[in-house]
Amino acid sequence: MTELTRRGLGAGMAAGLFGAAGAARAQAAWPTRPVRFVIPWPPGGLNDVIARGFNDQVSQALGQVIVNDFKAGAGGRIGVAEIARSAPDGYTIGMGNLGPLTIFPHLYKNMPYDAARDLVPVTMFAASPLVLVATKDLPASNVAELIALARARPGKLNFASVGVGTAQHLIFEMFRARDGIAMEHVPYKGTNESLPAMLGGDVHAMFDTLPLMLGPIRNGMVKPLAVTTPARIPQLPDVPTLAEAGYPEIDVVTWYAVIAPAGTPQPIVDRLYRAYTEAAALPAVKKLLEDQGLIYLPNAPGEFATRIRAESARWAGIIERQGIRVE
């Protein structure tokens, strides 16, 4: 080896060491400027409320402003793609939920990101139970009676959802696959359409999130038959779970989570996890979740990643077995 080669190798090693040291210092100092938080849905909805409630607290803990950036469209796919292709430096993070991360990859042929490859899960920061509700005059007061009625009237009953391939749709597909019931699926663009259709008698039953159904239930506009959580929820203590009704495999919540681009340094992911977990314990955030009919499920990044993989596999199976397609 020549002296010149030795000098080149030495310089390269030194540069590598200095580069690694510089990266470590940058990670330790993070954040030194505002952090962009991409919200893949329009402002004004529940996603907005949750993100602002947490980010106001997390920004104080980090010592930097968190700027909420709304990138709505395609059911969340546009915003999640924006997160996935951002620099993995901790200065662009964002929000994801079970649709874009666990259902859509199996529902759409052309996805603008690979959820497993392009994103890193940080933590879930809120979750919404789903409630099975029926019209007031439907002669069924529990799940067993609904299934029996559907069997007795094949093709005569229907159920609403907020779109093909949503959790609200796929849970009913689990019923149809297991019990062989013939209930027609009537998809709507959102609860603002499906709920009036139910109140008008155009549809007989549907699953929807607790925050959106709590008011109609309490006002006697619809009747609740079951919730999708493993245990009963405090907002509806008299409503049984699907597990109690004989469906322990249907354990579903609509969750809202913090995600980051793949390659985001682990020290930054860990700090984000701690900041959002600590925010969830604050009285103001606890009250926000309770007021919105939401729950908090403690979970570390590894636990959240495991949940994503398990839910993704479950939805993939349902979509394939039932032959569900979206063009």
Side-chain angles (χ1 to χ4, degrees):
M1 183 182 295
T2 66
E3 180 64 23
L4 183 60
T5 302
R6 282 195 293 270
R7 288 180 181 176
L9 288 173
M13 291 176 63
L17 290 172
F18 281 123
R25 286 195 297 271
Q27 293 171 27
W30 177 91
T32 58
R33 54 186 170 87
V35 174
R36 182 171 70 126
F37 190 91
V38 177
I39 302 172
W41 296 277
L46 184 59
N47 299 286
D48 183 359
V49 172
I50 297 168
R52 291 182 190 276
F54 272 86
N55 288 342
D56 287 349
Q57 303 296 334
V58 173
S59 63
Q60 296 180 41
L62 297 180
Q64 288 290 339
V65 173
I66 297 179
V67 180
N68 296 310
D69 186 8
F70 296 91
K71 298 287 183 181
R77 299 193 300 282
I78 290 175
V80 172
E82 176 81 6
I83 300 166
R85 61 173 171 256
S86 296
D89 55 9
Y91 289 100
T92 295
I93 58 175
M95 193 174 195
N97 70 17
L98 82 169
L101 298 186
T102 68
I103 296 176
F104 295 168
H106 311 291
L107 196 63
Y108 296 95
K109 290 182 178 179
N110 300 314
M111 288 287 290
Y113 56 86
D114 184 312
R117 182 193 63 206
D118 300 334
L119 299 162
V120 58
V122 178
T123 188
M124 285 190 294
F125 51 9
S128 171
L130 290 158
V131 187
L132 173 60
V133 296
T135 56
K136 293 187 298 181
D137 57 352
L138 191 72
S141 57
N142 55 51
V143 174
E145 291 177 359
L146 175 64
I147 299 300
L149 190 64
R151 284 174 173 159
R153 303 178 184 178
K156 301 298 184 182
L157 299 186
N158 58 24
F159 67 94
S161 80
V162 293
V164 175
T166 59
Q168 291 90 327
H169 169 207
L170 296 180
I171 297 173
F172 252 110
E173 292 294 346
M174 296 169 79
F175 275 133
R176 295 211 288 189
R178 172 174 155 172
D179 297 320
I181 56 174
M183 290 182 69
E184 181 185 356
H185 175 214
V186 185
Y188 292 89
K189 292 181 180 179
T191 307
N192 61 327
E193 292 184 2
S194 60
L195 180 59
M198 172 171 278
L199 298 181
D202 295 327
V203 293
H204 301 105
M206 68 178 182
F207 282 95
D208 213 327
T209 58
L210 177 65
L212 296 176
M213 287 295 103
L214 199 53
I217 289 170
R218 288 175 172 170
N219 292 332
M221 301 165 69
V222 296
K223 56 183 176 183
L225 305 185
V227 294
T228 60
T229 43
R232 295 193 183 195
I233 56 177
Q235 294 91 341
L236 299 172
D238 296 328
V239 178
T241 67
L242 283 175
E244 291 177 86
Y247 298 84
E249 73 278 12
I250 308 182
D251 171 9
V252 181
V253 294
T254 298
W255 42 259
Y256 310 85
V258 183
I259 56 177
T264 300
Q266 192 61 44
I268 293 177
V269 172
D270 291 341
R271 190 170 179 198
L272 284 168
Y273 162 68
R274 289 194 301 272
Y276 280 95
T277 300
E278 289 167 2
L282 296 174
V285 175
K286 284 184 174 181
K287 185 176 186 304
L288 167 72
L289 296 180
E290 183 179 353
D291 290 346
Q292 296 296 327
L294 299 167
I295 57 177
Y296 175 70
L297 301 174
N299 62 106
E303 294 171 318
F304 183 28
T306 298
R307 183 181 188 117
I308 289 176
R309 288 192 295 270
E311 291 196 9
S312 182
R314 173 173 63 180
W315 299 129
I318 295 167
I319 290 168
E320 182 178 358
R321 285 194 304 271
Q322 299 301 101
I324 300 167
R325 296 289 181 269
V326 176
E327 298 298 331

